[in-house]
Amino acid sequence: MNKLSILILQLFFIMLPVAAAATVVDDFPAQWYKDKEIKYIRPNIEYDYTSLKREKIWLNPVEKYSTPHRVYDGMPVKLVVKRNVRIGRDLLKHGTPAKAIVELSTTNGMTGIPATITIGQVEIPGLESDKLHCYYLKEGQNRTVWIMPLKWALTWLPFVGSFTNLIKGGQAVLKPTDDIPVYYYYEW
């Protein structure tokens, strides 16, 4: 074929999807979110974002949460304040209950990929939730560090390197001894 006919065929196949008859409308999101309550976080426009005045609050989980025991996205996590914290004139006492949400949880995978639990959206009674900032990631044991070199070292033997794919990563476990830092920006 000459170059001109190849160019014409390419243009024809590129323009083919553009000439589609009807647009497909996806109504699944509208049906899914119809009966769900969604909290929108609105930024504070009047706040001076150059100010970094904040207090660090240490929290501990009340009970043990682990990925093999049904941790799911959106799951509430019970927390407690670890130490007394002075916020302005107020005192946040040790033992004050708090609540957070599991924003993302992933299971462990083949070839040593670890499981993770991500905590966020902390709420402490007496403090404004939009002034609290928390992002805490708990990760299981990462075994890819030694599995991948072993896998590539064994690839010269037929199929032997593939058996290292069956080794799974560690589970993520959030224990009551874990310290979760939360920052409270009190000048908003």
Side-chain angles (χ1 to χ4, degrees), residues 78-144:
K78 295 177 185 174
L79 303 168
V80 66
V81 176
K82 183 178 180 180
R83 299 184 195 122
N84 291 340
V85 179
R86 180 145 318 266
I87 300 173
R89 294 182 182 175
D90 299 328
L91 179 69
L92 185 62
K93 294 190 176 190
H94 163 75
T96 303
K99 184 176 78 169
I101 291 178
V102 174
E103 290 185 344
L104 178 67
S105 66
T106 59
T107 58
N108 59 342
M110 302 304 232
T111 319
I113 297 173
T116 60
I117 299 174
T118 307
I119 302 292
Q121 298 183 16
V122 175
E123 295 178 4
I124 300 174
L127 299 179
E128 297 177 45
S129 296
D130 59 341
K131 295 181 181 181
L132 288 168
H133 174 71
C134 173
Y135 180 82
Y136 183 74
L137 175 70
K138 184 67 177 195
E139 194 174 47
Q141 185 183 24
N142 188 356
R143 298 183 181 134
T144 58

Side-chain angles (χ1 to χ4, degrees), residues 60-81:
N60 293 103
V62 174
E63 56 192 55
K64 182 178 172 181
Y65 299 95
S66 62
T67 50
H69 294 98
R70 189 70 180 119
V71 172
Y72 55 91
D73 298 346
M75 177 179 169
V77 175
K78 295 177 185 174
L79 303 168
V80 66
V81 176

Side-chain angles (χ1 to χ4, degrees), residues 8-48:
I8 291 172
L9 281 174
Q10 285 179 345
L11 288 174
F12 175 73
F13 285 115
I14 289 172
M15 297 302 289
L16 188 63
V18 175
T23 304
V24 178
V25 178
D26 185 16
D27 61 343
F28 176 73
Q31 292 175 359
W32 176 262
Y33 290 111
K34 183 171 39 177
D35 59 342
K36 305 221 177 356
E37 180 183 339
I38 301 170
K39 289 197 283 186
Y40 294 102
I41 299 172
R42 307 234 187 269
N44 187 355
I45 299 172
E46 290 85 29
Y47 176 68
D48 178 22

